[in-house]
Amino acid sequence: MNSSELHGGLRARTAAAPTLQRALTRAFARGSFVLGLLLLALLGPAPTAVAQVPPDTTLYRFIKDVRFGAGASLCPGEPVIMHVSGSMPNCMRFAGLRILPTAGPFLVVAARVVDFTCVADCLPGTTDFSASIDLGPASPGQYLVVLAEEKSGCPDTTQTAEFRSLNQAYVVRPECPPPPPGLDSLLRSFTSLRVLPAQPCVTDTVRLSLALNGCPPCAHLTSFSFTRVRGLVATMDWTPLCAELRCGAESLSVSLGPLAAGFHRITVATDVNVRGTNKPDSTISFVRVVEFAVAARCDTLSQGCVDGVLPPFGLVLPQCAARIRPGSSGEAVLPIRTAVPAAGIEGFLASVAPFQVTNIAYAGTAAGVQVSWRRDGPLTRFVVFGTRGVAVPAGVSSLLRVTLAADSSLTAGPESGRLQGVVTLASDGAGEAIPFCALPAVLPPALNICLDRSAPSGCDVNGDGHTDVRDLVRMATCLRAPVAGDPRCHDCDGDSTFGIPDLICCAREVLGGGGVPGDSAVVNSGLVVSIDPPVAEGSGVRLRVRVRGAAALDAALLRLRYPAERWQLSAAADLEAGFAQGWLPLVEGAVPQREAAGSSLSVGALRLGEGAAGELVFDLHAEPLAPASGFDALIVEGADLTSGTGQLFAPSVALPRVELAPLTPPAVTELSPPRPNPFGRSTSFSVTLPREATVELSVHDVTGRMVARLAQGRLAAGQRTFTWDANGARDGVYFVRLTVDGQVRSTRVALLRDGH
């Protein structure tokens, strides 16, 4: 007997050997895999069957349903997908399916359930779970797979406390018809779903109606009902290549009952049974989502409440809120929705393996907001409170920036995990509790966190497992002396040469990443990051973000945060043309946006040679998308400042923030005093105009001779900042002269080098 015959010959014989089956179950329950495998070998072959064997789930505690493939048939040469679903208490977590290593010629699949009942309170109700695993392709015949249910111990979740196993059989047919092309979208068009009444309130009995659209030929609804595991399921029969003269309206409905006030999201699975072909019948399945709100009163939705789940119901969530490599960290932002401003929020987060919460920070834009957090068993509890009264404005806004770490040993297992939270208490500015909005009787949403098992990036030229601004610094050194095979000369764009385009290519990965890891940073007294006051520009505002003391740096990267639901932030169109001499600007807006970028923008610069400018200025434009809030602000939330040796610097003052408030035109023309004054290399000053005017801005020495012209021409109303780089000028006193429509204003500044 060859291996394929042996694999196909291990068939279900448990009905003929109940004593042996019980011994097998006890062996696996005690964790004795070797003994269990020996007992399985004693089962021996059984006659070949031609029909699918119904799954047996009687022994399992959590597993309710087992299926193989998407339809009624498994086809030769195609992967066999095993689907497992069930439910468990809310204080347990499903950790996915995995194939256990065995020496036998058959597969043993384990469904892992992690038990937290001894360290956390169970929320009421249960949580449904489902997972799939690829068993590989198979030739025609009947096969056996052992499905084991593992429950961990508590509090030591690395140990197995319960192990229950049963044999599951499946049949691969001799042949299968090729699937018709494009059927999914065609079949979706056959039916429609709608809520009755269209705008329900809490006193209504809500019904969900399924109806045929027009008269699709030979398509008929057969059922629409709740199932224990899959929830709402609709079924219909369809015969392709069929002519039917009858055209009658068909519809089915199911009662959802009176629902609580709030937002509801209902998932409906549809199974279309394809009939009347000369090949075995098949089933095509797809899923649709219905979203609707239930009003507390029939004239209005409930007001003055806060959603109790993070993220709230009804938001469009990205497919991957973060992509994290094994052994690395990433960030995800959790939003919140409240009808009234909140001064404090308390709750907890839960992350599902293979990710663990390592840090929580405030993700909003209100000033004076503090976050405290600690781990509490499998949960992470947090408190957010505002020292100036308001931490969360009314509406939907970002609340928490959560850092998650993925285990470095993950080479197999689930491809994604989840992050979700629960608000346990919300307080207004007076210290009174804010009531919770009514939640729908469906599973709460979650952010999907994806595990990125792709090969390490070639942009990680220093080989530390992270791609960050320090790698760009090393790549820049390769520009001066390219060496074939040197990892610093990484050909990112694949054109077989190394140059500036490769730096830009790797900058895309750096700008979209999570920043430099938490290495030790040295405070540099000359480094200052600042933001100039906003200046009106069209319907929006222009902002300048500055890095002073850049002479000590070879690269800088700033992560900016702003309320993206009300503002659009982008780099000024002329940023690159007028950027600091000797520096290459890096702006996230100039490269493809990373998925779920949320309310952040990254800007940076890379030194390309000697004699580069000592100050970096990033011109940005903020355009309002909605009425501004008094809490809107642009915040520099992170600064990666590094030297050519890879040393990470910290600025000498706190990272800045500036209010994004509606601007009013200035009342008078002003020329501000230069800062710094005296100065050693460059100094800056601002010009304020109440209206558009013809302007000339220049610098003169004590004899009246012009040594620099900084501006000449028509300028719009508002405030602008100008910088004089005094390279080539002698030490001494100079005058900055502003001429506006013939009127002159001036101020004095002193240039002193080397402390003289």
Side-chain angles (χ1 to χ4, degrees), residues 338-501:
T338 176
V340 294
I345 300 290
E346 182 179 343
F348 62 83
L349 303 181
S351 61
V352 176
F355 303 102
Q356 182 181 25
V357 175
T358 59
N359 190 49
I360 300 177
Y362 178 59
T365 58
V369 177
Q370 304 293 324
V371 176
S372 297
W373 65 278
R374 67 176 177 87
R375 292 193 184 91
D376 188 357
L379 305 177
T380 305
R381 300 195 177 274
F382 68 88
V383 174
V384 180
F385 60 96
T387 59
R388 302 184 186 178
V390 173
V392 182
V396 178
S397 60
S398 299
L399 178 65
L400 301 176
R401 186 175 299 275
V402 183
T403 303
L404 299 140
D407 188 348
S408 60
S409 63
L410 291 171
T411 58
E415 295 297 328
S416 63
R418 293 174 297 151
L419 174 67
Q420 56 194 149
V422 173
V423 176
T424 56
L425 183 63
S427 172
D428 61 17
E432 299 293 333
I434 302 174
F436 289 107
C437 304
L439 296 179
V442 295
L443 290 178
L447 291 183
N448 199 39
I449 311 299
C450 299
L451 189 65
D452 185 0
R453 289 198 177 97
S454 59
S457 168
C459 296
D460 177 21
V461 297
N462 64 2
D464 65 352
H466 302 272
T467 302
D468 55 53
V469 72
R470 295 176 295 188
D471 296 297
L472 296 182
V473 171
R474 295 202 175 198
M475 291 181 69
T477 63
C478 189
L479 288 174
R480 295 186 282 273
V483 178
D486 190 333
R488 297 175 303 164
C489 305
H490 173 56
D491 179 20
C492 180
D493 60 5
D495 64 354
S496 301
T497 61
F498 177 77
I500 294 293

Side-chain angles (χ1 to χ4, degrees), residues 258-274:
L259 298 179
F263 186 88
H264 295 258
R265 189 175 190 269
I266 307 296
T267 300
V268 179
T270 302
D271 296 336
V272 180
N273 301 312
V274 183

